[in-house]
Amino acid sequence: MTDVTAEGGRNTPSSPPLAGSGRPPGRGRRDWPLYEVFVRGKRGLNHVHVGSLHAPDDEMAVHAARDLYTRRNEGVSIWVVRSTDITASSPDEKDALFAPSGDKVYRHPTFYEIPEDVPHI
Amino acid sequence: MHEETVYDALTAAHGDDARWAFGAGFDDPLAGVDTTVPDRVEPADLGAYCLMLGDDALVLSQRLIEWITRAPELEEEVAFANVALDLLGQARLLLARAGSVGVLGRSRERAGASIPDEDALAYFRDPDEFRCTALVVADGGDFARTLVRLLMASTWRLALFTQLQSSRDPVLAAIAGKGVAELSYHRSHAARWVLRLGDGTAESHRRAQAAVDFLWPLTADLFTPTEVEARLAPAGVAVDPGRLREEVHGVLTDVLTRATLTVPEWPASAPPTGRLGQHDPGRSEELTDLLAGLQGLARRHPGATW
Amino acid sequence: MPAPTLTRADAADETALQEHFDATIAAEHRIEPRDWMPEGYRKTLVRQIAQHAHSEIIGMQPEGDWLLAAPSLRRKAILLAKVQDEAGHGLYLYSATETLGADRADLTDKLIEGRQKYSSIFNYPTLTYADVGVIGWLVDGAAICNQVPLCRSSYGPYARAMIRICKEESFHQRQGYELLLTMMRGTGEQQAMVQDAVDRWWWPSLMMFGPPDTESPNSAQSMAWGIKRHSNDELRQRYVDMTVPQAEFLGVTLPDPELELDPETGRYRFGAIDWEEFKRVLAGNGPRNAERIARRRAARDDGAWVLAAATAYAEKHS
Ligand SMILES: [Fe+2]
Ligand SMILES: [Fe+2]
């Protein structure tokens, strides 16, 4: 029996990259969206975040998640959610200083928006 | 110290000595299954039939293992390993069943007494004693051919195992019951990729179509029963492969059509060759190479246990 | 799309954030992906986790070379499941780096271009099937010593990945040791294979813990950040102490004439490690460096059309 909940238990949905790597868009997996993976190890438990993965589409994502995180344990229920579809609060409200690119996960409250001309550290 | 506690807790929590890697338990799927050979059945026939199905699985498993550390993406390494592990598991059960009904041929003399039946059969038979079909023997080729072949082989095998679940041989029925879930995963994994390759880029379409065109003729003998199957099917033990044709053709036509691929003419039914150990010329060489890789080490150390 | 930016609100805020970060570390709480973190912490972690991920993936190759030829179907199944686990470990770890803003494809490029390292141990060849057992016993064993403390890494996603990885590594070590036990009960030829493999892997396994503490300049900062928990020499000593009795039980000789128990400390003294060899292999001149990287490069390049197909399909059908 897989024990996926134990390790995901303390987790909140992890946030994806702060920003893109600045490379020109390729035609391969660099374009694949990031998915957050939630697994219910057995009936009676909550789905718990176990990690993330890139996949070309939802269908491939759920299958890759099953292969990777559960090795196809049949009793397990899996959710995959595109990271960009998650709206998250910040644990410490400290992420105001990050200016993510628009395609990344968290939708920043508008008052945190940082003008483009602020110099990088 | 703290970290030892963490580690101890982790392993203790599992306490399952039968596990060697994640998801690789070794519980016996045949525990409690009646192993008596059903009445009106020749053990030699039953064993030969188990070899046919077991050899297909073993050879296809090797073909998939060839991809490990070479797959286009890490997720695919994991998936190939999953499929290969399932097929290897099916092969082991089927070869062990063949051995248990006394079908060991010359493998037992070559292997010596200490080797389990499944290994005697896998490692100490020669190519002309293997009863696998051309479809699984054919060289893996590129990713497209590998996935199209997996689609074809798993579609055929799933159709067969579905019916084999009601075999009068309780062992075959149990093996089939376990295999159906595995094979439907293999088939859907392959189908997902065939859709994406066929309906992806111009290059992937070209490669997928080339794979289909190459593999299609290898289905010629898939639906022709051997004499063994012709005896076992009416006895309710085996499945007449002729009864699989409609489903297999239907599924493959459907997937290929959705993948925007052209479905070639189905080849005319041909008499069995590989199933009898009479492998077609090109296939025979490929099988010899494959078995050299599989068996070399075990044969260099006769009498060794691993 | 704006380039990645980490912008300063004002100096007071920066100080407050740093203090908050330091307090979190001091309290042994975990840093989570969306928390503020010093850029040096982020960069060091990305390098550390990526190097670990690369090691898992490259580490599939030495044992993977025996998958087709495994001498029994049971051993084949065990080895296949083990090698598959290593792929999974790589994936968990790459996914942890991505929570820090890295991109797996970039990291793979860096590996292939030699800009990021992986564990040197995987640059040695696997000459016989005994090597499979010895890798499980010694290499996975050393990895466990290294990695168990990382289950308490201050970075949450890494710590969580390590918990799962360590659990699986313990299976790996056990299967390796069990194979060796079986071979040591086998033919004389098999016993000789085991001893030969131990002779070849023992010293490289000691090198897995990295250079001696006196030459490990970045350790202090990593310790302060809670992303390194014990010094290289400390972990190496622990590994030796754990392994020597296992070798005795197995009936093999570890190839170090200076190895002996110090009755006062209860710990084993061992001979000098050939750090020149370590540097040579790390610099890319080990027996299999070129081959290991070439295979990753081929997988990436030959498989590019497959990923492009999946991308194109997703675009058409979304
Ligand atoms: Fe690992
Ligand atoms: Fe491992």
Side-chain angles (χ1 to χ4, degrees):
Chain A
M1 190 66 215
T2 47
D3 184 20
V4 280
T5 49
E7 71 190 272
R10 286 163 298 155
N11 205 356
T12 52
S14 28
S15 305
L18 303 172
S21 59
R23 279 173 144 275
R27 293 287 308 150
R29 90 179 280 285
R30 266 178 244 274
D31 303 323
W32 294 0
L34 187 66
Y35 288 84
E36 300 299 327
V37 180
F38 300 82
V39 169
R40 181 172 63 203
K42 59 180 175 191
R43 288 178 185 284
L45 298 177
N46 287 322
H47 282 79
V48 174
H49 183 252
V50 293
S52 54
L53 54 79
H54 285 274
D57 54 50
D58 300 358
E59 195 191 354
M60 296 297 268
V62 79
H63 287 277
R66 182 172 293 281
D67 281 344
L68 175 60
Y69 288 104
T70 78
R71 301 286 201 285
R72 288 175 35 230
N73 187 323
E74 299 293 335
V76 167
S77 159
I78 294 173
W79 294 343
V80 295
V81 185
R82 280 201 193 205
S83 301
T84 46
D85 289 339
I86 292 176
T87 309
S89 76
S90 167
D92 286 318
E93 304 301 325
K94 293 297 185 200
D95 61 346
L97 295 186
F98 293 106
S101 58
D103 63 334
K104 296 302 177 186
V105 68
Y106 22 115
R107 315 279 165 77
H108 274 241
T110 47
F111 53 84
Y112 284 146
E113 219 111 81
I114 292 165
E116 289 218 32
D117 55 353
V118 176
H120 301 184
I121 288 179
Chain B
M1 267 178 286
H2 185 147
E3 51 278 4
E4 268 89 7
T5 320
V6 171
Y7 177 45
D8 291 350
L10 286 174
T11 44
H14 264 273
D16 179 1
D17 286 334
R19 285 174 58 144
W20 303 103
F22 187 69
F26 285 100
D27 28 311
D28 177 9
L30 298 183
V33 174
D34 178 10
T35 56
T36 328
V37 176
D39 58 338
R40 289 179 285 123
V41 169
E42 280 301 321
D45 279 354
L46 179 60
Y49 187 58
C50 289
L51 290 183
M52 294 176 196
L53 300 180
D55 290 347
D56 273 3
L58 179 60
V59 168
L60 186 53
S61 172
Q62 284 291 97
R63 286 294 185 216
L64 292 167
I65 289 172
E66 289 170 354
W67 278 97
I68 302 295
T69 71
R70 294 179 166 84
E73 194 47 285
L74 297 176
E75 283 82 357
E76 226 37 43
E77 304 268 2
V78 176
F80 279 144
N82 268 334
V83 176
L85 274 168
D86 286 344
L87 290 171
L88 183 56
Q90 293 178 11
R92 294 180 64 189
L93 293 171
L94 286 159
L95 297 187
R97 179 59 169 160
S100 78
V101 298
V103 174
L104 283 157
R106 281 168 291 160
S107 71
R108 177 50 74 203
E109 302 147 38
R110 296 182 191 132
S114 63
I115 308 289
D117 288 348
E118 61 179 48
D119 290 332
L121 287 166
Y123 290 92
F124 293 91
R125 275 182 301 153
D126 289 341
D128 62 359
E129 297 165 278
F130 270 73
R131 294 171 165 270
C132 43
T133 60
L135 180 63
V136 296
V137 172
D139 182 73
D142 65 0
F143 187 79
R145 193 190 288 179
T146 299
L147 270 297
V148 172
R149 188 241 302 272
L150 182 61
L151 175 70
M152 295 164 72
S154 57
T155 299
W156 183 87
R157 198 169 172 89
L158 177 58
L160 183 132
F161 271 40
T162 304
Q163 298 189 27
L164 197 61
Q165 289 178 102
S166 48
S167 170
R168 277 207 311 122
D169 178 35
V171 176
L172 276 179
I175 294 170
K178 178 172 184 287
V180 161
E182 297 169 348
L183 291 160
S184 47
Y185 164 81
H186 305 172
R187 189 179 73 172
S188 71
H189 183 81
R192 265 195 309 283
W193 268 115
V194 171
L195 285 181
R196 280 157 182 81
L197 299 181
D199 194 13
T201 63
E203 183 185 8
S204 68
H205 181 89
R206 179 182 59 72
R207 285 175 183 259
Q209 189 65 56
V212 167
D213 295 343
F214 172 85
L215 291 165
W216 232 240
L218 305 185
T219 60
D221 64 350
L222 280 183
F223 306 104
T224 335
T226 57
E227 285 173 18
V228 167
E229 288 162 295
R231 285 193 292 272
L232 288 178
V237 167
V239 176
D240 173 0
R243 288 175 53 208
L244 309 175
R245 187 193 318 261
E246 200 178 326
E247 179 182 337
V248 172
H249 284 191
V251 169
L252 294 180
T253 301
D254 181 45
V255 175
L256 262 58
T257 307
R258 283 197 287 142
T260 73
L261 293 164
T262 305
V263 183
E265 281 291 313
W266 292 100
S269 280
T273 51
R275 289 273 184 251
L276 307 175
Q278 300 156 4
H279 303 282
D280 305 332
R283 299 290 90 79
S284 173
E285 248 168 68
E286 287 165 330
L287 182 62
T288 303
D289 285 351
L290 182 140
L291 292 181
L294 172 80
Q295 300 173 333
L297 174 60
R299 287 192 178 204
R300 278 197 300 279
H301 297 275
T305 47
W306 305 91
Chain C
M1 219 51 49
T5 51
L6 174 63
T7 45
R8 192 198 303 270
D10 57 44
D13 249 19
E14 166 92 23
T15 311
L17 288 164
Q18 178 75 51
E19 277 168 9
H20 186 268
F21 173 85
D22 292 343
T24 307
I25 299 275
E28 290 270 325
H29 290 160
R30 300 284 170 265
I31 304 295
E32 293 297 341
R34 308 183 63 217
D35 294 343
W36 183 90
M37 60 188 84
E39 188 55 16
Y41 176 85
R42 193 185 69 81
K43 277 196 178 142
T44 306
L45 265 175
V46 168
R47 199 181 334 114
Q48 181 187 352
I49 304 173
Q51 183 171 328
H52 187 172
H54 298 329
S55 302
E56 299 283 357
I57 298 305
I58 295 284
M60 296 167 68
Q61 292 185 33
E63 289 175 284
D65 288 347
W66 285 101
L67 278 170
L68 289 169
S72 76
L73 296 184
R74 175 170 170 273
R75 289 290 170 201
K76 188 190 290 286
I78 292 170
L79 185 60
L80 182 51
K82 194 226 174 199
V83 171
Q84 182 192 45
D85 277 354
E86 308 299 6
H89 296 174
L91 284 165
Y92 305 151
L93 291 165
Y94 284 125
S95 131
T97 65
E98 291 189 317
T99 68
L100 289 160
D103 177 287
R104 183 166 115 203
D106 286 333
L107 300 178
T108 304
D109 290 348
K110 285 186 176 134
L111 167 71
I112 290 170
E113 290 155 15
R115 290 188 286 139
Q116 281 181 343
K117 305 274 184 219
Y118 56 90
S119 182
S120 291
I121 191 95
F122 301 119
N123 290 320
Y124 293 89
T126 40
L127 301 181
T128 73
Y129 205 75
D131 291 39
V132 169
V134 170
I135 287 179
W137 174 40
L138 296 182
V139 177
D140 287 280
I144 290 170
C145 282
N146 259 331
Q147 292 172 7
V148 165
L150 296 176
C151 298
R152 294 191 300 127
S153 167
S154 64
Y155 187 58
Y158 190 31
R160 289 187 287 273
M162 288 317 306
I163 290 177
R164 177 158 190 172
I165 288 171
C166 284
K167 192 188 307 185
E168 298 182 4
E169 293 300 354
S170 73
F171 298 135
H172 299 175
Q173 195 190 21
R174 207 184 313 168
Q175 66 82 29
Y177 197 71
E178 195 258 4
L179 169 60
L180 298 178
L181 280 174
T182 308
M183 290 182 72
M184 289 303 283
R185 286 194 299 259
T187 63
E189 206 178 3
Q190 285 181 298
Q191 292 165 10
M193 280 163 77
V194 174
Q195 182 61 56
D196 167 65
V198 170
D199 290 345
R200 284 181 289 108
W201 290 94
W202 171 248
W203 288 106
S205 78
L206 291 180
M207 296 176 197
M208 284 177 72
F209 298 89
D213 294 350
T214 47
E215 288 168 42
S216 185
N218 302 320
S219 286
Q221 178 62 76
S222 290
M223 297 263 219
W225 276 332
I227 57 181
K228 189 175 167 77
R229 291 294 186 167
H230 302 278
S231 81
N232 295 350
D233 287 334
E234 220 177 306
L235 291 168
R236 187 165 17 240
Q237 183 66 52
R238 189 179 296 187
Y239 166 71
V240 172
D241 293 341
M242 196 180 81
T243 308
V244 174
Q246 293 169 350
E248 283 166 5
F249 183 85
L250 196 57
V252 295
T253 310
L254 296 173
D256 178 358
E258 292 172 51
L259 191 68
E260 63 173 354
L261 187 66
D262 178 338
E264 280 182 20
T265 59
R267 317 202 83 173
Y268 285 89
R269 282 193 290 256
F270 51 95
I273 294 170
D274 179 358
W275 291 111
E276 289 312 308
E277 175 179 335
F278 176 76
K279 284 176 197 152
R280 205 164 48 240
V281 178
L282 193 65
N285 301 315
R288 289 290 186 275
N289 294 57
E291 187 187 318
R292 302 289 184 238
I293 292 297
R295 199 183 297 179
R296 283 327 300 154
R297 182 191 299 276
R300 179 193 66 182
D301 296 351
D302 300 348
W305 69 272
V306 174
L307 307 195
T311 311
Y313 179 90
E315 279 163 8
K316 284 186 216 175
H317 294 268
S318 62

